[in-house]
Amino acid sequence: MTRNNTLTKEQKKALRKERYDAIMADLRNPVKKAVRGRKIAGKASSLLRTIVFIGLSFVILFPIFQQLMLAFRHPNDINNPLIVWIPEHWSLVNFTIAIQLTQYWKSLLNTFRVSLITTVFQLASTALAGYAFARLKFKGSNILFWMVMLTLIIPPQVTAASRALYFSNFDIFGLISLFNNGEAIALRGPGKDYIFYIMAATGQGIRASLFIFLFRQFFRGVPVELEESAQIDGAGILRTFWSVMLPNARGVITTVALFAFVWQWNDVYYTSMFAVSSSEFPLLTMQIINTAEWLGNLLLRSDLKYLVSADVRGSSMFTSLIANTEAFLMMLPLLIAYMFVQKLFVEGIERTGIVG
Amino acid sequence: MKEKISSWFSALGGKLTQLKNWFLLTKFWAFIEKIVRYISVGLRYVFYPITWIKKRTYDRMRYDNQKVFASILFLTPVLLGFFLFFAYPIIMSFIYSFSEVTIFDGKTQILFGQYLEGPKGEEVAIKDLFHNYKFALQGHGTFIIELWNTVQTTVIDTVVITIFSLLIAVMLNGEYKGRGFVRAVFFLPVVFNSEALDTALEATEAIDQVLTNAGTGSGELAKLFDLTLFMESIGVPVWLVTFLSDITGAIYRTITYSGVQILVFLAAIQSVPGHLYEAAKIEGATAYESFWKITLPMVSPQIVTVVVYTIVDSFLRSEINTIIDYQFVQNEIGYHAAMSWLYVIVSVIILAVAVGILNKVVFYQDDKK
């Protein structure tokens, strides 16, 4: 300040001009311009990214939040317009009814068992096939590969009817009836969950061809040198596959396992096609679908009658509320499991190298 | 707290190892070991013929032949499944689509191109060979309309989902705060699929319509929890609310169906060598330019995969399946087969067109094609 006071007007003007010129030169400097532009672009794109992510995360998370809040709402409050998000009377009535209606623990155990075993079988069959298609090529193996890919392109609806008929009367060229008193066996029907395992083990499980594709792409990307060095060290083909290839494929295995498990867990189509679910062998998805039919009967039971008032009982909104709670209960184990697996899964993708 | 827990766990681990060591010294363990050894020796003798055969044949093969052998061995389950559970049913379904199928007492009777003797001794077909297809195309009122709708939605969905998932994958890639959380959230829709709930709600709606005939379906439930209503009542203009809710719905739909696609693209982007970007940056390319000149060409083979997957997926989800499945529930196997074949033909045509277009654009690094 003191220095400024001693300067004359002209000097001040000159100084100001100098500064102005310096700033302008700085602005006009192409290198600095580019650097600045890049900085601004980076800031802007990260801002945009943040906004998009927050928005999309909201879009994804909101329905889950909604489901949760609805599940805790007391059924008598469904017609109350004052309650928007947070329930006024927190209650577990919906859960009580949903658990009774779906035979929750039993069907949870069944669903878990079916999903787990199919996942293991799917992994085994698709990993073997993927490796064979990628590395153990012979004449015509590409044709076989595209034939298998047909199962991905042709939707399951086409084979639904013929498969259903075929499985209710299963017979391979009369071989089975030969050993079974001239009778074909029914692979399809209530409680016959092994049909899932047979399908999974033979690479016909839910979207198995997609998994074969993923495994093939991954194994194609593994350097050949790795295999060759194992071979030189005296490892056979099985050994190479088991000790060299599979440990490297952790990422794909996690991805495939997660998909196989979740798709089996959520599956409606095959479960209804094979008519597996029954009251002795309940599966979660089927139990949820039957909500509307069974709810009325369940609520006539004396011990449950007093849980909800009579005018609510008949309303369709109440049915939806219960269905919603059931769906939440079905998702809950998956969500909890996902929280633990999620890191492995997301890291797995990065190392999948699905690109071949 | 954390230390306490970890120390507790480590103490537990130590105790467990102690217990294990003690157990390994007991006589019981020795006994088990002995049994296991005997069993393994026994098994070796039981499987001796197999190992002998392997020694005489497999081990004497050249490595190439061993490979073929192993390959066939590895492929056996899948090929078995393919022929038994896929090829056979699909041929049967093809036959069904040309015939009259009746299910009687659990047994199926297929009348394929059967002829009757007419009054003048001539042969008269019971049914026209293409009667199922004729029914699907002309007799059934909504099938063909619904098929056309499916085609339209599929085309739109495929374009939107492919572009959307590529953009999201590009955004998810890279360094930023809360990366783990965001990624976890974005793959949630893969896990959190509410197909069962949707079906259940549809069932509710159907029953509701039968019961009350008032047309108040389960859509009521959505209203109950309405963000739109809330926003309208706090004074946001209606057009804005409608626009927002429409766009949110569309985005939600898109993001629910693009989990796998984002995954494929993310993996593809991550496998693009980093030095390409570095070189581009040194040459003065912006992020925007390097997206168009590097990322897009490098991931373009994956676009084919994603497009094929999306088309198949969106066909699987379409409304037309309800119509087709309904025929099956009604035991009209012939109609069911014919309809599903028409559906396959249409979907294959779309796939062929899409792949044909993309193959002209796609850049293959090894340039084999």
Side-chain angles (χ1 to χ4, degrees):
Chain A
M1 287 302 272
T2 47
R3 217 182 97 227
N4 271 6
N5 286 342
T6 56
L7 294 173
T8 61
K9 228 176 190 180
E10 281 76 37
Q11 276 174 324
K12 270 185 190 171
K13 208 173 178 183
L15 205 68
R16 223 179 284 146
K17 179 132 195 345
E18 207 173 286
R19 277 187 200 148
Y20 175 77
D21 284 347
I23 290 169
M24 284 316 281
D26 203 53
L27 280 176
R28 286 199 192 103
N29 188 341
V31 177
K32 286 192 175 171
K33 225 180 189 172
V35 170
R36 217 176 292 120
R38 213 172 263 174
K39 257 186 193 165
I40 291 170
K43 282 267 160 61
S45 73
S46 77
L47 185 73
L48 184 74
R49 175 152 62 193
T50 319
I51 292 170
V52 168
F53 282 169
I54 289 174
L56 289 181
S57 300
F58 174 76
V59 168
I60 294 169
L61 290 177
F62 183 69
I64 299 172
F65 169 73
Q66 185 176 359
Q67 229 179 358
L68 185 71
M69 287 298 124
L70 273 178
F72 279 113
R73 177 182 295 199
H74 195 279
N76 291 351
D77 282 349
I78 47 172
N79 287 320
N80 189 347
L82 291 178
I83 304 169
V84 183
W85 289 332
I86 313 293
E88 195 177 345
H89 303 106
W90 294 77
S91 84
L92 293 174
V93 174
N94 295 332
F95 286 100
T96 320
I97 296 172
I99 285 173
Q100 292 240 6
L101 194 66
T102 48
Q103 308 183 40
Y104 184 63
W105 300 112
K106 204 172 164 186
S107 33
L108 183 70
L109 197 72
N110 283 335
T111 310
F112 183 74
R113 201 183 82 181
V114 169
S115 307
L116 191 70
I117 299 176
T118 33
T119 306
V120 171
F121 277 132
Q122 286 250 44
L123 273 180
S125 65
T126 54
L128 283 174
Y131 183 62
F133 282 136
R135 279 298 160 80
L136 307 172
K137 282 190 180 169
F138 54 91
K139 248 187 185 173
S141 76
N142 260 338
I143 297 169
L144 285 181
F145 173 71
W146 288 110
M147 263 164 58
V148 171
M149 281 304 112
L150 267 186
T151 51
L152 184 69
I153 294 166
I154 293 183
Q157 274 83 4
V158 183
T159 49
S162 47
R163 259 183 188 167
L165 296 180
Y166 179 49
F167 284 143
S168 1
N169 254 318
F170 188 69
D171 207 349
I172 310 168
F173 307 123
L175 269 179
I176 286 173
S177 51
L178 205 66
F179 295 103
N180 198 25
N181 304 329
E183 294 263 321
I185 48 170
L187 286 180
R188 165 180 172 268
K192 295 187 172 166
D193 57 332
Y194 49 76
I195 182 66
F196 288 126
Y197 314 143
I198 294 174
M199 297 285 276
T202 52
Q204 294 294 316
I206 300 169
R207 294 192 194 167
S209 32
L210 179 72
F211 301 149
I212 293 176
F213 183 77
L214 290 183
F215 271 118
R216 174 173 171 267
Q217 293 294 73
F218 171 77
F219 286 128
R220 270 171 74 185
V222 175
V224 191
E225 290 80 14
L226 208 64
E227 224 178 353
E228 277 170 358
S229 60
Q231 188 197 331
I232 287 164
D233 284 348
I237 292 163
L238 255 175
R239 187 69 201 230
T240 316
F241 175 66
W242 184 256
S243 325
V244 177
M245 295 310 243
L246 275 191
N248 275 312
R250 268 216 314 270
V252 216
I253 290 174
T254 323
T255 314
V256 168
L258 188 99
F259 279 143
F261 191 86
V262 164
W263 282 338
Q264 180 65 46
W265 187 283
N266 289 332
D267 173 62
V268 177
Y269 190 78
Y270 284 95
T271 317
S272 56
M273 188 172 101
F274 297 139
V276 173
S277 184
S278 67
S279 53
E280 280 79 44
F281 190 84
L283 289 173
L284 277 173
T285 45
M286 285 292 123
Q287 298 293 101
I288 291 177
I289 287 172
N290 290 329
T291 304
E293 287 172 44
W294 295 346
L295 188 61
N297 290 334
L298 184 86
L299 288 179
L300 290 178
R301 270 173 45 188
S302 56
D303 54 330
L304 292 172
K305 232 178 201 168
Y306 305 103
L307 282 179
V308 276
S309 59
D311 58 326
V312 170
R313 229 178 282 156
S315 112
S316 69
M317 274 210 272
F318 176 59
T319 319
S320 320
L321 194 67
I322 296 297
N324 182 68
T325 314
E326 285 170 352
F328 180 72
L329 278 175
M330 182 175 103
M331 285 301 146
L332 196 62
L334 283 186
L335 275 184
I336 293 169
Y338 183 68
M339 275 176 203
F340 289 104
V341 185
Q342 160 274 118
K343 207 169 179 192
L344 195 69
F345 172 62
V346 174
E347 277 171 10
I349 304 158
E350 298 183 4
R351 268 181 260 125
T352 359
I354 294 173
V355 177
Chain B
M1 193 63 194
K2 217 174 176 182
E3 283 157 18
K4 248 186 185 176
I5 291 172
S6 67
S7 73
W8 187 81
F9 268 109
S10 63
L12 188 75
K15 263 182 194 163
L16 279 180
T17 14
Q18 267 180 20
L19 207 69
K20 196 181 114 204
N21 289 337
W22 170 81
F23 182 69
L24 289 180
L25 290 174
T26 53
K27 272 190 178 173
F28 182 65
W29 179 248
F31 179 66
I32 287 177
E33 259 187 342
K34 218 176 200 175
I35 286 181
V36 168
R37 203 163 54 231
Y38 281 132
I39 288 176
S40 65
V41 169
L43 281 181
R44 202 174 297 159
Y45 279 111
V46 169
F47 284 109
Y48 182 73
I50 294 172
T51 46
W52 185 78
I53 291 171
K54 183 181 169 259
K55 248 181 212 162
R56 296 299 295 267
T57 56
Y58 178 78
D59 289 355
R60 285 185 187 182
M61 279 182 200
R62 275 177 52 210
Y63 189 67
D64 300 4
N65 293 340
Q66 277 187 358
K67 258 187 170 175
V68 174
F69 181 79
S71 179
I72 290 169
L73 196 72
F74 282 9
L75 287 178
T76 312
V78 169
L79 292 183
L80 203 71
F82 178 79
F83 287 116
L84 273 185
F85 301 133
F86 185 75
Y88 178 77
I90 224 163
I91 291 165
M92 285 318 284
S93 133
F94 190 66
I95 293 173
Y96 289 166
S97 73
F98 290 107
S99 37
E100 178 88 11
V101 186
T102 44
I103 302 173
F104 179 72
D105 208 19
K107 296 265 185 281
T108 19
Q109 193 188 12
I110 307 162
L111 302 175
F112 176 72
Q114 278 205 351
Y115 289 87
L116 284 177
E117 198 150 303
K120 287 172 194 163
E122 83 279 19
E123 284 189 331
V124 181
I126 297 177
K127 281 262 170 83
D128 182 9
L129 197 61
F130 290 97
H131 72 280
N132 290 322
Y133 288 97
K134 276 182 183 155
F135 171 78
L137 292 176
Q138 294 161 2
H140 196 282
T142 49
F143 177 77
I144 196 82
I145 302 168
E146 205 55 67
L147 194 63
W148 178 237
N149 285 345
T150 306
V151 171
Q152 283 175 327
T153 18
T154 304
V155 171
I156 295 170
D157 265 13
T158 310
V159 174
V160 170
I161 288 179
T162 309
I163 294 171
F164 177 79
S165 52
L166 182 59
L167 285 182
I168 293 295
V170 169
M171 281 186 164
L172 280 176
N173 190 37
E175 294 293 329
Y176 47 88
K177 254 186 191 173
R179 191 165 103 137
F181 175 76
V182 171
R183 286 190 185 185
V185 168
F186 271 68
F187 296 121
L188 251 183
V190 177
V191 181
F192 208 82
N193 171 316
S194 55
E195 197 188 342
L197 178 65
D198 290 346
T199 323
L201 289 183
E202 266 168 35
T204 327
E205 214 162 328
I207 283 180
D208 207 48
Q209 274 170 6
V210 174
L211 286 180
T212 60
N213 214 1
T216 51
S218 55
E220 291 285 302
L221 189 75
K223 256 185 221 158
L224 209 158
F225 209 84
D226 217 344
L227 199 60
T228 1
L229 196 74
F230 174 70
M231 279 167 87
E232 272 170 26
S233 45
I234 61 169
V236 182
V238 179
W239 62 268
L240 187 66
V241 174
T242 343
F243 173 73
L244 278 180
S245 72
D246 282 356
I247 215 166
T248 324
I251 289 174
Y252 182 67
R253 220 177 79 84
T254 313
I255 203 163
T256 323
Y257 298 143
S258 48
V260 176
Q261 287 87 332
I262 295 176
L263 217 118
V264 171
F265 276 137
L266 192 59
I269 291 170
Q270 252 141 20
S271 68
V272 176
H275 61 77
L276 291 180
Y277 290 109
E278 266 166 42
K281 209 174 178 184
I282 290 166
E283 300 286 339
T286 58
Y288 179 77
E289 279 165 346
S290 57
F291 169 77
W292 286 104
K293 297 267 161 67
I294 301 171
T295 315
L296 199 61
M298 290 302 278
V299 302
S300 63
Q302 254 37 55
I303 293 178
V304 180
T305 319
V306 163
V307 164
V308 169
Y309 180 82
T310 315
I311 291 174
V312 170
D313 201 45
S314 117
F315 253 84
L316 276 182
R317 262 186 283 104
S318 65
E319 278 297 308
I320 198 156
N321 291 313
T322 351
I323 296 176
I324 296 178
D325 286 339
Y326 181 72
Q327 303 300 326
F328 179 48
V329 175
Q330 296 293 307
N331 270 338
E332 296 282 4
I333 308 288
Y335 295 156
H336 178 272
M339 282 179 179
S340 36
W341 271 99
L342 285 172
Y343 162 100
V344 167
I345 290 165
V346 170
S347 84
V348 166
I349 289 172
I350 294 183
L351 279 175
V353 170
V355 172
I357 293 170
L358 284 173
N359 264 344
K360 293 207 169 148
V361 190
V362 165
F363 162 79
Y364 285 99
Q365 206 183 6
D366 44 4
D367 230 25
K368 271 177 197 162
K369 295 203 175 179

